Amino acid sequence: MKPSKPVILTGVRANNNIHIGNYFGAILPIINMAKRRSDEYDINLFIPDLHSFTTPIDHSKLYDSVLNNARVYAAAGLSLDNTSIHLYRQSYIPAHSELTWILDCFTGFGRMSIMTQFKDKSRKFLDSKITKGEMSDEQRIWDTIDRNISVGLFNYPVLMAADILLYGATYVPVGDDQTQHLEFTRDIAERMNRKFGDLFIVPKPVIQQHQFFGKDQGLRIKDLVNPAKKMSKSDESGKGIIFLSDDPKSAHKKIMSATTDSIGKVQYDKENQPGISNLLEILTLVRQDAGREVTLEQTANEYFGMDRYGDFKRIVADEVAEFLENFQNRLAAVDERAIEEKLASSEKDMNAVANETLYRVQKAVGLRK
Ligand code: TRP
């Protein structure tokens, strides 16, 4: 099976505790984009499960959290019988791993070392591990790297390049933390094409990706307690985060105790009133999820100037609780068999596409006749 249309591809990492920041900021925009674009494009929506253990995880939960993510997509409105949308797990398509190895051998060590995600993640890990001891700083750092930072984290971008190149994807929505990886993908594709002839379709450069996806890229929901930073599960207290699995009552409480400001008038002003602005965004998003066609501006106008924050928060809290209840009902109603059938059929089709690309590469590098 060869895709007849240009390919949009995106991978969303498995996550067993999805919060509304992930949902409204990443998952829902992708699902909506897929719906809108699937007439003209093939949409590859996959779960990069092999990328999951480049940093330490609880392996006993991985398999289920991958399936759960697929369920969340369905509950978010992904149509399982749209044949232009392919939903698959990376590890079910062995060509990803095989192409990665080949690309690894054409990737410079130095080229990988400058990747900021690798540097950030390993630095975070080091900071959490390094304790004062007898060794010099440098020794301690290398010692910790040796024991804790995997080669997998290091060559993560090569696997990501394989994910994209196997399907000849032109469009890949990329957040800021992924732009370097896309640039690397273009790099290695061009380099291989120069060396071996036209092997790969080169994805569009980052600027064109942004032009293409435009507003499809979601808003960044902020932490409720500290609205200066984005909602992220690395916040240990959990008070600033609303998880999709939260009991609606406890979510209500979290909204009621969200940080606001001393200005005392509701308005959308991210700079001076980040907490209130965040609540206005959240309110708009849960309304949109309920099928209402509202914009952020409309919501901001509706509550503009309201001076009792408690009343405003209660409105947001009620609607967030309602959203969670609806979402959890939708999730419970997802047809398990339909998910498994969708994965199985996409994985079969995508194996065929990926194997064709892999074979072309294998021939080019001399592994096949
Ligand atoms: N690296 C991406 C992330 O952390 C996930 C991912 C893996 C991906 N392979 C991909 C995204 C290919 C787009 C295309 O979010």
Side-chain angles (χ1 to χ4, degrees):
M1 201 206 88
K2 217 179 159 43
S4 44
K5 301 184 276 191
V7 176
I8 298 176
L9 177 142
T10 185
V12 183
R13 291 234 258 168
N15 173 350
N16 54 22
N17 221 348
I18 300 175
H19 54 67
I20 61 170
N22 307 131
Y23 181 75
F24 288 118
I27 294 172
L28 201 55
I30 286 170
I31 303 294
N32 290 337
M33 181 277 291
K35 218 182 280 175
R36 230 180 6 258
R37 304 265 197 190
S38 62
D39 287 343
E40 281 173 71
Y41 295 86
D42 260 289
I43 315 281
N44 285 25
L45 173 52
F46 79 103
I47 304 168
D49 52 355
L50 290 169
H51 274 118
S52 296
F53 34 80
T54 48
T55 48
I57 58 157
D58 180 349
H59 296 270
S60 69
K61 297 213 174 98
L62 178 58
Y63 187 83
D64 281 336
S65 71
V66 170
L67 276 185
N68 190 51
N69 282 33
R71 284 183 210 113
V72 168
Y73 302 159
L78 179 72
S79 149
L80 297 177
D81 37 47
N82 183 332
T83 52
S84 295
I85 302 178
H86 313 289
L87 177 68
Y88 57 97
R89 294 161 289 189
Q90 184 187 39
S91 75
Y92 281 71
I93 297 163
H96 289 243
S97 306
E98 296 190 32
L99 181 60
T100 298
W101 173 255
I102 295 173
L103 297 180
D104 270 343
C105 299
F106 293 88
T107 300
F109 190 85
R111 183 72 178 83
M112 278 301 97
S113 320
I114 58 167
M115 293 283 155
T116 52
Q117 180 170 297
F118 167 73
K119 291 198 288 187
D120 288 352
K121 286 202 178 174
S122 38
R123 182 161 316 122
K124 251 188 219 150
F125 206 71
L126 290 180
D127 288 345
S128 71
K129 291 280 174 192
I130 290 179
T131 47
K132 290 256 170 271
E134 301 290 278
M135 289 183 276
S136 73
D137 274 0
E138 197 177 345
Q139 275 176 317
R140 268 189 282 121
I141 288 170
W142 276 108
D143 190 56
T144 316
I145 289 179
D146 280 351
R147 281 181 290 114
N148 295 299
I149 311 284
S150 73
V151 174
L153 181 61
F154 185 69
N155 78 342
Y156 176 119
V158 183
L159 177 55
M160 183 160 160
D163 296 339
I164 295 169
L165 299 177
L166 279 172
Y167 305 94
T170 7
Y171 291 107
V172 182
V174 278
D176 290 341
D177 57 336
Q178 300 299 321
T179 57
Q180 268 196 334
H181 297 164
L182 183 70
E183 272 152 11
F184 167 71
T185 304
R186 285 172 42 78
D187 247 41
I188 181 118
E190 282 168 352
R191 207 143 31 79
M192 296 291 278
N193 285 352
R194 270 198 302 277
K195 196 168 165 75
F196 297 107
D198 276 346
L199 273 184
F200 295 120
I201 293 177
V202 182
K204 303 275 186 212
V206 173
I207 322 167
Q208 284 181 44
Q209 302 287 351
H210 288 319
Q211 281 162 357
F212 180 80
F213 291 106
K215 278 197 258 167
D216 287 343
Q217 272 163 344
L219 294 168
R220 292 252 167 273
I221 292 198
K222 300 294 193 306
D223 186 271
L224 298 171
V225 177
N226 178 3
K229 67 177 194 73
K230 76 173 195 197
M231 192 175 278
S232 149
K233 71 174 174 203
S234 52
D235 162 57
E236 310 82 36
S237 82
K239 285 192 189 127
I241 311 174
I242 294 184
F243 294 102
L244 292 182
S245 57
D246 272 354
D247 162 40
K249 278 207 198 80
S250 76
H252 196 279
K253 284 203 194 96
K254 290 182 193 174
I255 299 276
M256 292 307 291
S257 44
T259 303
T260 53
D261 54 69
S262 55
I263 293 176
K265 288 232 182 308
V266 171
Q267 54 188 328
Y268 190 75
D269 175 352
K270 279 177 103 142
E271 190 140 329
N272 301 307
Q273 299 182 253
I276 290 290
S277 302
N278 190 37
L279 293 177
L280 282 166
E281 286 182 6
I282 293 173
L283 183 58
T284 308
L285 291 165
V286 296
R287 287 182 171 178
Q288 287 169 348
D289 190 84
R292 290 172 58 180
E293 289 197 7
V294 290
T295 62
L296 177 58
E297 270 134 314
Q298 287 167 338
T299 318
N301 286 339
E302 185 176 345
Y303 296 100
F304 180 81
M306 190 168 173
D307 55 9
R308 292 163 66 156
Y309 282 173
D311 292 350
F312 173 63
K313 281 177 165 180
R314 186 157 299 107
I315 292 166
V316 181
D318 286 349
E319 295 193 30
V320 165
E322 206 176 303
F323 157 72
L324 286 176
E325 223 171 282
N326 287 336
F327 179 81
Q328 289 164 7
N329 288 336
R330 285 194 324 250
L331 189 63
V334 168
D335 179 354
E336 208 61 26
R337 277 250 324 267
I339 296 277
E340 279 170 19
E341 282 169 16
K342 178 69 179 178
L343 289 169
S345 83
S346 291
E347 283 157 7
K348 182 165 169 281
D349 292 346
M350 293 304 106
N351 262 300
V353 177
N355 284 340
E356 220 172 275
T357 308
L358 178 64
Y359 186 59
R360 208 162 60 232
V361 177
Q362 287 172 324
K363 281 200 292 198
V365 300
L367 291 167
R368 298 287 183 274
K369 213 169 150 45

